[in-house]
Amino acid sequence: MDYPATAASLDHLPNGLTVILDPDPAAPVISAQVWVETGSLHEGSLLGSGVSHFLEHMVFKGGGRFGADELATSVQAAGGHWNAYTTFDRTVYYIDGPASGLGTFLEVLAAMVFTPALPEEEFEKEKDVIRREIDMGLDDPDDVSGRLMFSTAFTSDPRRHPVIGHRGLFDEISYPGLTGYHRSRYTPDRCCLCLSGDFDAEAVKAQIEALFGGFARGSGAEPVVPQDPVQLGPRRGRATFSVPASKISLAWKIPPLGHPDVPAYDLAAAVLGRGRSARLYRHLREERGLALEISAWSWSQAGRGGLFAISAEAVPEKRDELIAAILAELADFPSTALDDDLAKARRQIAASQFKSLTTASGRATDLASNWHEARDLDFTRRYLAALKATTAADVRRAMARLTEDQMSLSILDPADAPAPATLKRATRVRPEPECVTLPNGATIALLPDPRVPIFTAQVAVRAGLVSEIPENAGLNALFAATLPQGTVRRSAAELAGLLESHGATLGAASGNNALLAQMGGLSPDLSTLLPLLAEVLVEPAFHGDSIEREKASQTASLREAMEDPLSTAFRLARAHLFDGIGYGIHALGTEASLAGLDRFALSAHHSRHFQGSNTVVALAGDFDLVHAREVLAEGIGRLPMGTPWVPPSATVRGDFEIEAFLPKKQAVLALAYPGCSALAPERFALRMIQEWCTDMAGPLFIRIREELGLAYQVGATQFHGHDAGFFGFYLATDPSQVDLAQRELVSEISKIAEDGIPEDAFERVRATVLSSLALGLQSPGSIARLAAIDVLFGLPVTHHREVAAIFQTITPGEVKQAAAKLLGTRPVTARVLPAG
């Protein structure tokens, strides 16, 4: 299958603004994106300060006719979901939402990008917010490991600096420096406006000309961006951190995008480190047990060389042996047979690219990225063709250049570790789903969607966290990690190889109320792949070596979570709220409970829960209804009928305060209230409250983050259980301000408990919720997941389509009543503070 040629148009306004229009009436949604060709590479005299990222924050403070609050409320009222991000070479602003909001989205983007207010009174306040963000990054081991890798691999190239900037250089940014940077870099000739979704192209062109045509073209030379000199020898970087395992990166410089060797490196990365059947994963994790996790990746930019890298985690005792084994694998790579592995890699990459076309946001990102990198909207199509044309000889020749003397090795060790010695055209027709019950009691939900030749099968089984007790805590997480690793007929390597040769994915996850398994693939392979899914569900092997590897990996994740302030705060709050049982158990378990889990425990869990009466399978995507029903009935029908599993009743209690201490820079606060069940009528009102408390136009963000500058992170989260739920508030702040931040958070919660959502904001919140629902119904994967969970809880297979109508009828009075009920009791309060 070839990647479809784009039907999008490319045009330029007289001032140099590039305009990409991709009308697609398949769904009434829109993605509007402005790509500014400036990032941390382009900061000139301010290099390393993070001024690009700082400016990204400041443009949200108002612009054009909009004040800061008016920007947020206007986007929210139009149902928009907006955000931005900054990388080395770009800053991207995007709004996704209903097609009816396009006019508002365009006006907001034009105002904030080209005529931002950049209020001087907000300058120092926003600086404090970003200082908290910098501290959060320095608390995150993955962030620290990534910084170490880039600073080791690059010596002169600006990519050696973190995009967010170094704290000392960031502190030196002046207000004139920020505004001057905006004037010099945010010019229309350096920008691309890309729209994808349901709109009339001719009508939109006039809007764009009116809103964007009056901005002046830029002037002045581009900043000189240095390139790294030729690497003359290996480079090494090492640091220590509070992590349970060593994080290792081996990286090599590779040519820029457009060089004929780049497709070869992409294919080699997939062969070596993409998926469970990849060579490094299979040889060094599964067979030899040297790595806890391992992957490979390749990354290049236009006009600037990139990296081929292998990232891994290992216990410190096996770190050096793992590095030597990786180098041995690379040395042997050119002499091995590659044809079958390359065919699998091409299919994997094609499947991934096809999936990006299922949403308006994905299509807009693909088009804008193609323009940014290649000035060619069909670059993805041409690049996939280049991958197809790349031979095994090409890959061998490219990989032979990755010698040890050209390597950059970075290691983030525990503190006590010794130093080392693709797309069918969418249609307006939406086929109706159907739901059938098999003789063994299993339910099959079929949700056809012919837009793209892919499918997703989502399995939901009654189990999850509420099926555990403290003595076997972590069972469901370990079960989910081990389930896809082989069956009684096939080894883990055979299963992974078969899946990945079809570009398919298979995974499992554990939730609060269910065990989930998901398979995705290309539609022509459905007859091959669905029987494999059934085989995994009915005949899992639970090999002892797989269990031990996953236990080691889960233990490492548990230790890392125990050092994360936000995770710790919620763990403590939930444990008390639910009396340490059911939903109060930590999903990863404890080291003691994990040590006691074995093949017998997993097999017993499978026997009790994987029965027809406990199972729902939802299939969404492009397939023939009759054929899919027959294939699923044959495979899933092999499960025994069994008896429905009924979860135990939850115990809920509140009014308790907990404090914990970690060696971190930030303080975190979590407040936990008893939420509602998955079928409670007030769940819709609570969703409105959650949105109101999380949105950038909501009271928590405006008061605590914007007005007072007390927190970088503040918001609300919730989950629904069988008979009880959880509704939590959280914030991350400077330790010296934690008491004030807590008082302000409690004050804002009290206002919500008394008043609900103010009437002048109610419709904006409703619009945002409705937009979230629409955006979440674009891809087969999200549709299948929603349908499977709904049916598992006894709701109709079409419930996900009906939810929007429910939100359309909800009233401020109903939300106020739900807020009073939810927040009328004293919560469990957990504070995590820096040690010492």
Side-chain angles (χ1 to χ4, degrees):
M1 291 175 290
D2 292 327
Y3 197 77
T6 184
S9 65
L10 175 67
D11 204 353
H12 304 276
L13 297 189
N15 61 6
L17 178 71
T18 298
V19 179
I20 301 171
L21 300 180
D22 179 40
D24 186 343
V29 297
I30 193 81
S31 181
Q33 304 185 6
V34 173
W35 287 48
V36 187
E37 285 196 310
T38 195
S40 59
L41 287 173
H42 306 104
E43 293 175 351
S45 62
L46 296 173
L47 183 64
S49 68
V51 66
S52 301
H53 172 260
F54 186 14
L55 180 57
E56 173 214 314
H57 276 237
M58 286 294 290
V59 303
F60 283 90
K61 304 294 183 180
R65 67 178 181 85
F66 302 99
D69 293 347
E70 292 172 312
L71 272 180
T73 56
S74 296
V75 171
Q76 186 188 54
H81 297 258
W82 65 336
N83 215 325
Y85 65 89
T86 304
T87 69
F88 296 124
D89 65 346
R90 74 199 71 171
T91 305
V92 179
Y93 300 90
Y94 60 91
I95 307 178
D96 297 336
S100 59
L102 177 57
T104 299
F105 302 159
L106 288 174
E107 185 179 5
V108 165
L109 287 171
M112 65 191 296
V113 172
F114 294 113
T115 58
L118 302 179
E120 190 167 5
E121 64 271 16
E122 294 289 329
F123 181 77
E124 288 299 331
K125 188 184 302 182
E126 196 62 29
K127 263 194 163 183
D128 282 339
V129 169
I130 294 178
R131 289 183 182 108
R132 300 284 73 76
E133 189 178 355
I134 291 173
D135 285 345
M136 289 175 64
L138 296 174
D139 282 343
D140 184 340
D142 291 324
D143 198 330
V144 173
S145 178
R147 292 187 185 201
L148 180 62
M149 181 196 68
F150 276 94
S151 63
T152 302
F154 296 119
T155 57
S156 300
D157 191 300
R159 291 174 294 183
R160 70 189 187 277
H161 301 297
V163 172
I164 198 172
H166 301 287
R167 173 64 182 269
L169 296 176
F170 172 76
D171 286 341
E172 294 176 7
I173 299 174
S174 66
Y175 181 73
L178 178 77
T179 56
Y181 184 74
H182 177 268
R183 284 194 303 273
S184 66
R185 299 302 304 167
Y186 276 48
T187 60
D189 50 300
R190 293 183 175 94
C191 295
C192 166
L193 170 65
C194 184
L195 304 181
S196 182
D198 187 11
F199 63 90
D200 179 84
E202 292 304 318
V204 164
K205 287 179 182 178
Q207 288 181 281
I208 292 172
E209 176 65 41
L211 290 169
F212 293 86
F215 302 121
R217 180 186 289 269
S219 61
E222 290 291 311
V224 176
V225 181
Q227 299 268 11
D228 247 29
V230 174
Q231 186 167 332
L232 302 178
R235 297 175 181 171
R236 296 180 176 87
R238 179 178 181 265
T240 59
F241 200 77
S242 178
V243 287
S246 298
K247 294 179 182 288
I248 304 160
S249 296
L250 294 82
W252 288 263
K253 306 275 183 51
I254 61 174
L257 203 60
H259 190 283
D261 283 350
V262 170
Y265 287 120
D266 280 349
L267 290 170
V271 170
L272 285 168
R274 183 167 180 161
R276 293 181 180 275
S277 68
R279 295 187 180 189
L280 295 178
Y281 189 94
R282 191 172 71 246
H283 294 168
L284 304 186
R285 185 184 190 273
E286 301 293 285
E287 296 173 6
R288 297 178 61 182
L290 295 177
L292 295 171
E293 301 295 338
I294 190 165
S295 61
W297 49 273
S298 174
W299 165 71
S300 287
Q301 295 180 276
R304 185 166 294 273
L307 295 175
F308 180 96
I310 295 168
S311 301
E313 293 186 24
V315 295
E317 303 83 55
K318 297 182 179 180
R319 176 198 60 205
D320 296 345
E321 185 181 357
L322 174 60
I323 294 170
I326 291 171
L327 293 173
E329 288 280 339
L330 291 178
D332 291 342
F333 186 82
S335 63
T336 60
L338 289 174
D339 288 343
D340 290 344
D341 281 342
L342 292 180
K344 176 181 68 177
R346 293 187 189 98
R347 203 166 183 91
Q348 287 176 316
I349 295 170
S352 177
Q353 289 294 334
F354 273 125
K355 290 176 184 177
S356 71
L357 298 177
T358 61
T359 66
S361 178
R363 293 189 298 273
T365 299
D366 180 62
L367 290 166
S369 177
N370 286 344
W371 169 82
H372 179 80
E373 298 287 4
R375 295 303 195 262
D376 172 18
L377 300 189
D378 271 318
F379 178 68
T380 302
R381 176 182 173 87
R382 301 187 206 287
Y383 190 71
L384 289 177
L387 287 175
K388 188 175 181 180
T390 300
T391 66
D394 296 329
V395 175
R396 292 189 178 96
R397 183 180 62 254
M399 291 298 290
R401 298 191 178 102
L402 305 187
T403 58
E404 191 169 347
D405 61 352
Q406 295 294 303
M407 176 183 68
S408 295
L409 171 66
S410 61
I411 301 171
L412 187 67
D413 270 332
D416 57 353
T422 159
L423 184 72
K424 186 187 297 182
R425 186 65 179 174
T427 176
R428 286 179 177 271
V429 177
R430 182 171 66 172
E432 288 302 311
E434 67 173 46
C435 201
V436 296
T437 301
L438 302 181
N440 67 348
T443 303
I444 296 175
L446 301 171
L447 304 101
D449 179 357
R451 290 180 300 158
V452 182
I454 60 175
F455 73 89
T456 298
Q458 177 72 62
V459 182
V461 177
R462 291 185 187 89
L465 190 61
V466 74
S467 68
E468 296 180 6
I469 57 176
E471 289 74 18
N472 67 8
L475 171 62
N476 283 273
L478 182 61
F479 185 99
T482 312
L483 180 68
Q485 298 196 39
T487 69
V488 296
R489 306 185 199 183
R490 304 173 209 270
S491 68
E494 290 170 334
L495 179 61
L498 184 55
L499 288 166
E500 291 167 13
S501 65
H502 288 81
T505 58
L506 172 66
S510 60
N512 291 302
N513 306 300
L515 273 164
L516 304 172
Q518 185 183 74
M519 169 179 278
L522 297 169
S523 296
D525 301 326
L526 182 142
S527 297
T528 301
L529 295 175
L530 287 185
L532 283 179
L533 174 62
E535 185 178 322
V536 169
L537 298 177
V538 178
E539 305 172 358
F542 301 122
H543 294 299
D545 55 346
S546 296
I547 294 172
E548 292 307 312
R549 283 193 300 271
E550 296 306 332
K551 282 173 68 172
S553 182
Q554 188 167 328
T555 300
S557 297
L558 171 64
R559 291 171 181 169
E560 194 164 314
M562 300 290 281
E563 294 296 323
D564 179 73
L566 186 59
S567 175
T568 298
F570 275 123
R571 172 176 55 82
L572 294 173
R574 281 183 61 161
H576 187 84
L577 184 69
F578 295 105
D579 202 23
I581 58 175
Y583 300 124
I585 294 174
H586 190 232
L588 294 175
T590 65
E591 294 201 37
S593 66
L594 282 176
L597 298 178
D598 54 18
R599 186 175 186 274
F600 176 80
L602 296 181
S603 297
H605 200 60
H606 177 267
S607 298
R608 178 63 191 92
H609 294 276
F610 277 64
Q611 301 172 350
S613 56
N614 290 321
T615 303
V616 174
V617 182
L619 180 67
D622 184 23
F623 55 84
D624 177 77
L625 269 169
V626 175
H627 177 64
R629 189 189 311 122
E630 291 174 350
V631 174
L632 283 172
E634 181 178 350
I636 304 302
R638 295 166 54 207
L639 287 170
M641 175 178 288
T643 56
W645 178 76
V646 178
S649 299
T651 300
V652 182
R653 57 180 183 165
D655 192 10
F656 193 76
E657 295 186 0
I658 316 165
E659 277 194 351
F661 300 90
L662 292 174
K664 303 293 182 179
K665 297 179 182 294
Q666 60 184 317
V668 169
L669 173 71
L671 277 64
Y673 292 84
C676 72
S677 70
L679 300 181
E682 63 266 28
R683 68 187 187 276
F684 304 105
L686 295 191
R687 171 70 182 275
M688 294 280 287
I689 295 169
Q690 180 190 0
E691 185 64 45
W692 174 233
C693 295
T694 305
D695 194 88
M696 292 170 66
L700 304 188
F701 190 92
I702 289 176
R703 175 61 178 167
I704 297 173
R705 186 189 187 281
E706 295 295 285
E707 294 180 4
L708 300 176
L710 288 175
Y712 175 72
Q713 278 185 318
V714 61
T717 184
Q718 67 171 327
F719 73 79
H720 305 314
H722 289 280
D723 59 351
F726 168 93
F727 197 104
F729 297 89
Y730 60 90
L731 62 78
T733 187
D734 185 277
S736 65
Q737 297 176 313
V738 66
D739 292 331
L740 174 59
Q742 181 172 347
R743 288 196 298 271
E744 290 294 334
L745 179 59
V746 171
S747 174
E748 292 302 317
I749 293 172
S750 298
K751 294 175 186 176
I752 298 167
E754 184 175 348
D755 302 328
I757 301 175
E759 291 195 11
D760 62 345
F762 193 83
E763 291 306 322
R764 297 198 308 269
V765 176
R766 192 203 308 269
T768 305
V769 171
L770 292 173
S771 177
S772 294
L773 295 174
L775 293 169
L777 293 176
Q778 294 185 83
S779 69
S782 59
I783 291 171
R785 185 182 180 91
L786 287 170
I789 297 297
D790 284 343
V791 174
L792 192 72
F793 274 99
L795 294 167
V797 67
T798 56
H799 179 69
H800 62 282
R801 295 184 179 181
E802 301 161 357
V803 171
I806 297 173
F807 279 105
Q808 291 281 17
T809 62
I810 199 167
T811 67
E814 290 172 319
V815 173
K816 181 178 179 180
Q817 184 178 6
K821 178 180 178 182
L822 169 71
L823 306 174
T825 58
R826 291 177 59 86
V828 175
T829 302
R831 296 178 12 146
V832 179
L833 305 172

